[in-house]
Amino acid sequence: MNNRLKVLRAERDWTQADLASALEVSRQTINAIETGKYDPSLPLAFKFARLFQLQIEEIFSDR
Amino acid sequence: MNNRLKVLRAERDWTQADLASALEVSRQTINAIETGKYDPSLPLAFKFARLFQLQIEEIFSDR
DNA sequence: TCATTAAGTAAAACACACTTTACAAAAATA
DNA sequence: TATTTTTGTAAAGTGTGTTTTACTTAATGA
């Protein structure tokens, strides 16, 4: 699973910590997801989508 | 998190076991997700979406 | 260059996703 | 009604997602 989080953050000039606090998760969670260590849970994927106002599929991709 | 799995299954006349084998997960996993015991992982949510040819948000909803 | 901020990473702990086996209850069908 | 199929549920085990604390490295700015 890869994702566009780094780009979406850059477009907004947000740090990983900024994004983490917007989503109420730890900075390490953001880092781990961004660097592909693991996938977010579905509820967290929904939070990303809501925050960025995008479909989950526009942020995360299966292959 | 609620979902439309029961309806989507009914439209296709599939049992929980049918859906489970199409997705290569256990029947108990399908049952637990349908009955709200837990949410699927994001990769499994993608598999549902691909199978039903729907967006994840058209199958699962956050509230 | 020095100090600060941002990003990467690691370990331990805990909660949740998923499996297998097994059984009971409900629904469908002969 | 009797049998079969489907659904619900439970317990134990494994693996993954997330947290906290903490340290290192990289990038930014005075």
Side-chain angles (χ1 to χ4, degrees):
Chain A
M1 181 95 45
N2 62 346
N3 64 73
R4 306 209 312 115
L5 294 180
K6 193 168 184 169
V7 171
L8 293 169
R9 262 197 318 109
E11 286 171 354
R12 289 158 182 80
D13 199 21
W14 287 350
T15 65
Q16 291 182 347
D18 290 336
L19 180 51
S21 79
L23 297 175
E24 299 178 295
V25 296
S26 71
R27 181 182 66 80
Q28 286 74 357
T29 291
I30 300 300
N31 185 270
I33 292 167
E34 233 176 81
T35 61
K37 282 194 172 177
Y38 50 74
D39 302 319
S41 66
L42 185 56
L44 183 50
F46 268 93
K47 287 178 108 178
F48 280 110
R50 190 164 335 101
L51 180 64
F52 290 122
Q53 309 220 67
L54 292 170
Q55 300 284 122
I56 289 173
E57 287 89 345
E58 295 175 298
I59 304 176
F60 299 95
S61 90
D62 211 8
R63 32 194 99 276
Chain B
M1 181 93 46
N2 61 347
N3 65 71
R4 305 210 310 118
L5 294 180
K6 193 167 183 167
V7 171
L8 293 169
R9 262 196 318 110
E11 287 173 352
R12 290 158 181 81
D13 199 21
W14 289 350
T15 65
Q16 291 182 348
D18 290 336
L19 181 52
S21 78
L23 297 175
E24 298 176 294
V25 295
S26 70
R27 181 182 67 82
Q28 286 75 356
T29 291
I30 299 300
N31 185 270
I33 293 167
E34 256 188 34
T35 60
K37 281 193 171 177
Y38 51 73
D39 301 319
S41 67
L42 185 56
L44 183 51
F46 268 92
K47 288 179 105 177
F48 279 111
R50 189 161 339 100
L51 179 64
F52 290 122
Q53 308 220 68
L54 292 171
Q55 299 286 121
I56 289 173
E57 286 89 345
E58 295 175 299
I59 304 175
F60 299 94
S61 92
D62 212 7
R63 32 193 101 276

